[in-house]
Amino acid sequence: MKTDAKTLQLVDIPKVLELIEKECRSPLGVLCLREQEPLPSIQHVEERQALFVSFCKYEDVCGRLPWEKDLNPLGRLFEDAKVSGLLSGVELVHIRNMVGLAIRIKDVVSDRKDAFAELYSLTRRIPDLSELFDDLHVLADDGRLYDRASELLGRLRSAHRDYAAKARKAAQNLVSNPSVSSMLQDKNVHYRKGRIVLLVRQENLHKFRGIVIDRSSSGNSLYMEPEGLIEINNRVSILEKEIEEEERRILRSLTRKVLMKQKLLERTEQVLGLLDLMYALREVARKDRWSLPLMKNSPMLKLKGARHPLLGKQCVPIDIFCGTSFKQLIITGPNTGGKTVALKTVAVSLYLGWCGFPVPCKEGTEIGDIDWMLADIGDEQSIEQNLSTFSAHLTRLIDMLQKANERSLFLLDELGAGTDPQEGAALGIAILERFRSIGSLVIATTHHNSIKRYALSTKGVETASMEFDSETLKPTFRLLMGMPGKSNALTIARHLGMPEEILSKAEEVLLESYYGEERLVDELHDKHMELDQLKKQLESKEADLQRLKDELEREKRNLALEKGRIVSEAERKALEMIEEAQRLYHEMVKKIGFFNARNMHKSTEKDRQRMLKMKKELLERQDVHDEKMEAEEISPGDLVEIIGQSTKGTVEAIEEGKAVLLCGPIKVEVQLSKLKLVKKKEEVERTAVQGPIVKGDFKKVSVPPSIMIRGMTVDEAIPEVELYLDRAFRAGYGEVTIIHGRGEGILRREVHALCKRLPYVTNFRLGEPSEGGIGVTIVSFR
């Protein structure tokens, strides 16, 4: 989709983008957002949408991607480096941090590439900069070069430290000498202009053998370099100069390496910027409930619950559509009623949608294949061209007519205004007719009744109006599709106390045909308001009926369960009585003796068989009853817990007494008898978290990537660790950290023993020095 800068300004796109900018974590994301334009095709839009969905799923399941604060674009650094040939250590560290972040992101996404294909496809664009990353590790985090940056630098710094120590020792010896110390202001060793000096009293200037380097702030003493230190100080100064030259040589070498990788670094910067933009869009969509539109191949739009982002939560959502059964939509209504806001809302939604972003609309919003979107909104004047308001609008309309085709969308505010009403309305109708013959989509606002009549009587043109409450004399900002706006001037005058004879005369002055049409529109409005009230009452009654139905169903289910429990309990007691009778029978047989027992067996065989049959029937009935109870109690979509474990999951399917559970990223099959109901499907849906949620998302609360147990006892720590590992595994982590401290190693051994017992732990190891060493254990999951 194409548009122009004027349209973007007229519909407040820059201000809307500022809302997204605030959610970006770095200037990289802001720069990426400012470079975005509507994408060239629906395929590109759908690819961007797929990337956004993949990004959201990753962060929902695996937690946030690694990130670094203070990431700034590299463009200025490249420009300075090309001029001076030298980047500072701090600037090179900034580049190293960016490269390191890109490498970490690429690694963590590669581990889950099959589950997040679109995100993986983006991170694959990050080039291999590991060699440059290693080269830049000769710098400390504050930008200073390590001694190992070069063999010469190491030697020079070592020599500098030795000579500096000699100079300090020699100076200290002088201070300790009574003949010298008596001439000093204090017994401290001082540094001035890179040289070691002593503070000598003014009156001892000619007695002290040395060179004046500086004067104290009071002027009563002098900083003097003793003769015995001159040679050592000179050597220290020479070494400092050589160190500085070697450091500049190393920084120049690193700068050349950076410039050689400029294109690759720019590509890396673009990927990181886009990832930051995806994060910002996710935050906006989550907070303000934006959604991704469905893209259609035909020129049309269907916005559901659309809200202008700049109006905040008080904005009244509107449903607006065009391009399905009609190509033009004419919106009428009172001033300040929301007509212009409706046009801007359409433009903002289409612009964001064609950038591949979420839009400020509800789910089910559809956006079609629009070639051009242009707007003419507001009272614009061009002083430079010496044009009047009306002429400026005409110039804009002429430009639209030149660009018009069957896939164009034009947003026209107050069509026909700015000139004589009759001529303006006639020109407006002619322009609409031209757009209609071309097949362009048009959404226009107007106050002209002749344009309103044109919309009512012309095929392919639909009317809509901004609702006005005749009781409160205020607009409601609701858009009524299919309803022309009615005149409110006489109604308002009547409410404000205008004499009735004046109102009667005004009604007589109105042309009969015109007034008849107005009366028809009034009747339509009244009917619409009446139907609207009936609809609200019907919806309220339907909600009450549904609530009663749900309560009856719950009551019925509870009664059935209670009945089942009572029957099951009675059968269990009967079974216990039979088993007790069997036990007594066997004891009696033992007491009677072997021979009498044989005769007794014969006489009681029938009773014994009957008792066994009764026991068998009771057991079968109990099994059937238990299965029935399980089937009634647990159904697909319910949240259940495995008895004896903390593992929870959603029931995907039930077959032959078994349930398939989705527990985080894995599926398990469990006997129904081993499950306990936590929430019915309806309750789960009611309490679902708003925002982009993926199937199998069990990370309802944040699971941190590490747990601290240092200082706990074994009895306190191990249950906490077991629960944490279970949650982290189900949340989708590939690797987590347990911080147990060094100590005597008791906690470490118990943690390792636990990891060996857990089936979902594939590997565990002590941390590297940079990760915490033997004070932490890194646990990997399958």
Side-chain angles (χ1 to χ4, degrees):
M1 185 184 80
K2 297 183 289 292
T3 185
D4 61 8
K6 189 177 185 68
T7 294
L8 300 184
Q9 290 294 330
L10 291 174
V11 302
D12 301 324
I13 291 295
K15 295 179 181 178
V16 172
L17 295 183
E18 287 177 6
L19 298 178
I20 303 174
E21 281 186 15
K22 292 177 182 178
E23 300 297 336
C24 291
R25 297 167 294 179
S26 71
L28 286 185
V30 174
L31 178 63
C32 181
L33 174 62
R34 291 177 179 175
E35 290 175 346
Q36 296 301 310
E37 293 180 347
L39 295 165
S41 69
I42 288 179
Q43 181 182 350
H44 287 86
V45 172
E46 290 175 339
E47 288 173 357
R48 175 65 59 78
Q49 289 181 341
L51 172 62
F52 176 73
V53 170
S54 182
F55 178 88
C56 293
K57 284 183 179 180
Y58 184 94
E59 296 222 327
D60 287 334
V61 174
C62 305
R64 288 186 177 175
L65 286 167
W67 196 252
E68 293 278 352
K69 59 180 181 180
D70 301 327
L71 284 180
N72 293 300
L74 301 179
R76 183 187 60 79
L77 295 185
F78 290 138
E79 291 174 6
D80 293 346
K82 288 175 182 177
V83 174
S84 65
L86 181 67
L87 291 173
S88 69
V90 172
E91 291 169 332
L92 289 167
V93 167
H94 174 73
I95 294 172
R96 185 186 70 193
N97 290 342
M98 181 182 292
V99 172
L101 173 64
I103 290 172
R104 294 201 304 278
I105 289 175
K106 188 173 183 178
D107 287 344
V108 298
V109 175
S110 296
D111 292 340
R112 309 294 297 275
K113 61 183 179 182
D114 293 334
F116 308 101
E118 293 82 4
L119 182 60
Y120 172 65
S121 179
L122 173 64
T123 57
R124 278 185 62 193
R125 288 163 48 188
I126 297 173
D128 183 7
L129 291 168
S130 54
E131 183 179 347
L132 178 63
F133 184 64
D134 293 339
D135 289 340
L136 294 175
H137 264 86
V138 297
L139 290 158
D141 289 341
D142 59 3
R144 291 183 302 106
L145 284 164
Y146 288 121
D147 291 356
R148 67 172 188 270
S150 76
E151 186 179 346
L152 176 58
L153 181 63
R155 289 202 309 270
L156 290 173
R157 284 183 175 176
S158 179
H160 179 269
R161 286 190 290 268
D162 291 342
Y163 275 98
K166 289 178 182 178
R168 286 193 299 272
K169 187 175 180 181
Q172 201 62 52
N173 290 337
L174 286 173
V175 170
S176 302
N177 188 333
S179 62
V180 175
S181 61
S182 61
M183 293 184 284
L184 301 179
Q185 184 71 35
D186 59 35
K187 294 185 178 182
N188 297 323
V189 175
H190 298 273
Y191 288 87
R192 280 295 183 275
K193 299 180 181 179
R195 305 180 77 82
I196 292 180
V197 295
L198 301 178
L199 189 59
V200 180
R201 295 191 186 97
Q202 177 70 37
E203 61 269 21
N204 296 322
L205 170 63
H206 300 294
K207 296 180 185 179
F208 189 86
R209 302 185 64 178
I211 302 171
V212 175
I213 300 298
D214 199 1
R215 182 179 293 276
S216 67
S217 57
S218 65
N220 297 325
S221 51
L222 302 165
Y223 290 103
M224 299 187 68
E225 182 181 14
E227 286 183 348
L229 293 181
I230 292 175
E231 185 178 348
I232 299 177
N233 274 339
N234 287 341
R235 183 58 184 157
V236 170
S237 296
I238 291 170
L239 286 169
E240 287 175 351
K241 185 66 175 175
E242 290 176 349
I243 288 171
E244 182 182 348
E245 290 176 356
E246 177 62 9
E247 287 177 345
R248 287 178 66 84
R249 186 194 68 77
I250 295 170
L251 292 177
R252 285 185 184 278
S253 175
L254 293 174
T255 301
R256 284 195 298 273
K257 291 180 179 180
V258 166
L259 289 175
M260 288 173 64
K261 303 287 186 181
Q262 179 178 348
K263 295 295 183 183
L264 301 182
L265 287 167
E266 287 173 347
R267 196 191 313 166
T268 301
E269 183 181 77
Q270 290 168 1
V271 173
L272 293 178
L274 187 53
L275 287 172
D276 196 21
L277 175 56
M278 291 295 106
Y279 172 86
L281 291 171
R282 180 177 186 267
E283 290 301 296
V284 172
R286 181 180 60 82
K287 292 177 182 177
D288 299 331
R289 299 185 183 180
W290 292 12
S291 64
L292 288 175
L294 180 64
M295 303 303 295
K296 295 289 188 177
N297 288 321
S298 59
M300 54 81 68
L301 62 94
K302 183 180 180 182
L303 308 184
K304 291 187 176 182
R307 293 165 286 117
H308 198 289
L310 298 181
L311 296 181
K313 294 182 178 179
Q314 73 270 21
C315 180
V316 177
I318 61 172
D319 293 342
I320 185 169
F321 52 93
C322 184
T324 50
S325 57
F326 54 89
K327 288 277 191 175
Q328 296 185 1
L329 179 66
I330 309 301
I331 304 175
T332 56
N335 289 325
T336 70
K339 300 189 302 297
T340 304
V341 171
L343 292 185
K344 291 184 176 183
T345 302
V346 169
V348 167
S349 298
L350 260 67
Y351 180 85
L352 294 175
W354 267 92
C355 287
F357 299 169
V359 297
C361 305
K362 291 181 179 179
E363 294 285 346
T365 289
E366 299 175 1
I367 292 177
D369 188 6
I370 306 297
D371 177 38
W372 269 98
M373 179 184 74
L374 296 174
D376 180 35
I377 296 174
D379 186 17
E380 293 293 320
Q381 293 194 37
S382 175
I383 298 175
E384 294 85 359
Q385 297 179 35
N386 193 26
L387 298 174
S388 68
T389 301
F390 183 64
S391 297
H393 286 305
L394 285 182
T395 302
R396 186 73 173 155
L397 287 169
I398 292 169
D399 182 51
M400 291 181 179
L401 288 168
Q402 291 172 348
K403 291 183 170 67
N405 59 46
E406 67 279 1
R407 293 191 296 118
S408 304
L409 170 65
F410 301 110
L411 305 170
L412 311 177
D413 192 29
E414 298 297 347
L415 183 63
T419 185
D420 175 76
Q422 289 185 339
E423 289 187 356
L427 184 59
I429 291 172
I431 290 170
L432 290 174
E433 270 294 298
R434 178 61 181 273
F435 282 134
R436 192 168 77 93
S437 66
I438 296 171
S440 302
L441 299 184
V442 176
I443 301 179
T445 69
T446 187
H447 281 294
H448 290 299
N449 283 292
S450 52
I451 296 179
K452 189 191 307 182
R453 289 195 294 273
Y454 165 81
L456 286 169
S457 60
T458 305
K459 185 178 179 181
V461 184
E462 184 58 275
T463 59
S465 62
M466 304 306 299
E467 188 180 51
F468 184 84
D469 191 331
S470 57
E471 296 296 324
T472 63
L473 302 182
K474 293 181 179 179
T476 66
F477 304 108
R478 291 176 58 207
L479 180 67
L480 306 177
M481 292 292 295
M483 288 293 300
K486 72 175 193 175
S487 173
N488 294 291
L490 299 183
T491 302
I492 294 171
R494 185 170 276 111
H495 274 275
L496 293 177
M498 181 68 70
E500 192 61 37
E501 59 270 19
I502 294 178
L503 294 172
S504 299
K505 183 63 178 177
E507 291 171 353
E508 289 177 10
V509 170
L510 292 173
L511 293 174
E512 186 62 32
S513 59
Y514 164 72
Y515 188 66
E517 289 171 2
E518 278 296 304
R519 191 164 51 199
L520 177 61
V521 169
D522 287 351
E523 291 174 1
L524 282 172
H525 266 278
D526 293 339
K527 290 291 183 184
H528 183 273
M529 296 299 294
E530 185 179 340
L531 289 172
D532 197 38
Q533 285 296 115
L534 289 173
K535 181 183 176 184
K536 289 179 180 177
Q537 293 173 9
L538 182 61
E539 288 174 349
S540 177
K541 288 180 179 179
E542 285 180 349
D544 291 339
L545 286 172
Q546 186 61 42
R547 188 165 54 252
L548 289 172
K549 183 180 176 182
D550 291 343
E551 289 177 2
L552 285 172
E553 286 293 331
R554 277 197 299 273
E555 204 57 39
K556 180 181 176 182
R557 186 167 59 250
N558 291 337
L559 286 171
L561 291 172
E562 187 62 27
K563 176 183 175 183
R565 290 191 186 96
I566 293 171
V567 172
S568 179
E569 185 62 26
E571 290 174 347
R572 284 192 179 91
K573 287 182 178 179
L575 189 59
E576 289 173 3
M577 292 173 64
I578 291 174
E579 289 174 345
E580 178 65 15
Q582 283 182 311
R583 187 183 63 79
L584 292 172
Y585 171 78
H586 288 299
E587 287 182 0
M588 186 172 60
V589 167
K590 289 178 182 178
K591 291 178 181 179
I592 292 174
F594 177 73
F595 292 104
N596 290 333
R598 286 182 64 188
N599 295 328
M600 185 175 179
H601 273 308
K602 290 179 182 178
S603 62
T604 60
E605 181 63 22
K606 290 184 179 180
D607 293 334
R608 191 175 69 83
Q609 291 294 332
R610 188 167 64 252
M611 186 170 58
L612 289 173
K613 184 179 179 183
M614 288 174 60
K615 180 179 178 181
K616 182 179 179 183
E617 289 175 353
L618 276 172
L619 287 171
E620 289 176 350
R621 286 174 59 190
Q622 196 166 20
D623 287 342
V624 171
H625 178 72
D626 287 346
E627 289 179 4
K628 184 178 178 183
M629 289 283 288
E630 289 159 0
E632 287 179 351
E633 190 170 349
I634 296 174
S635 56
D638 294 346
L639 181 63
V640 297
E641 182 178 79
I642 300 176
I643 297 171
Q645 302 181 28
S646 60
T647 304
K648 293 181 182 179
T650 300
V651 179
E652 274 208 337
I654 297 176
E655 293 181 5
E656 299 179 358
K658 295 181 180 180
V660 178
L661 302 188
L662 188 62
C663 302
I666 64 170
K667 291 184 180 181
V668 294
E669 191 175 79
V670 185
Q671 291 285 346
L672 279 171
S673 58
K674 295 182 180 180
L675 297 178
K676 179 174 72 175
L677 181 67
V678 177
K679 284 184 181 179
K680 294 297 293 178
K681 178 182 178 181
E682 296 79 11
E683 296 177 64
V684 174
E685 291 174 348
R686 280 198 299 271
T687 58
V689 178
Q690 295 292 333
I693 301 297
V694 299
K695 190 177 181 182
D697 175 18
F698 280 82
K699 197 173 181 185
K700 300 301 182 192
V701 295
S702 178
V703 180
S706 63
I707 181 173
M708 167 74 78
I709 59 170
R710 187 169 55 200
M712 294 184 183
T713 65
V714 171
D715 291 339
E716 293 171 339
I718 297 306
E720 289 288 330
V721 173
E722 185 171 6
L723 177 61
Y724 168 74
L725 291 177
D726 176 69
R727 292 175 64 218
F729 169 65
R730 289 187 289 112
Y733 279 107
E735 187 177 88
V736 293
T737 302
I738 301 171
I739 306 169
H740 43 62
R742 298 171 185 268
E744 299 178 3
I746 298 172
L747 275 180
R748 180 174 68 248
R749 288 193 295 272
E750 292 297 327
V751 167
H752 290 187
L754 172 64
C755 290
K756 289 177 182 178
R757 296 196 301 270
L758 297 177
Y760 47 81
V761 173
T762 56
N763 186 37
F764 59 91
R765 60 177 175 82
L766 292 175
E768 299 292 338
S770 62
E771 297 172 319
I774 63 172
V776 304
T777 292
I778 311 297
V779 181
S780 301
F781 300 119
R782 62 181 174 83

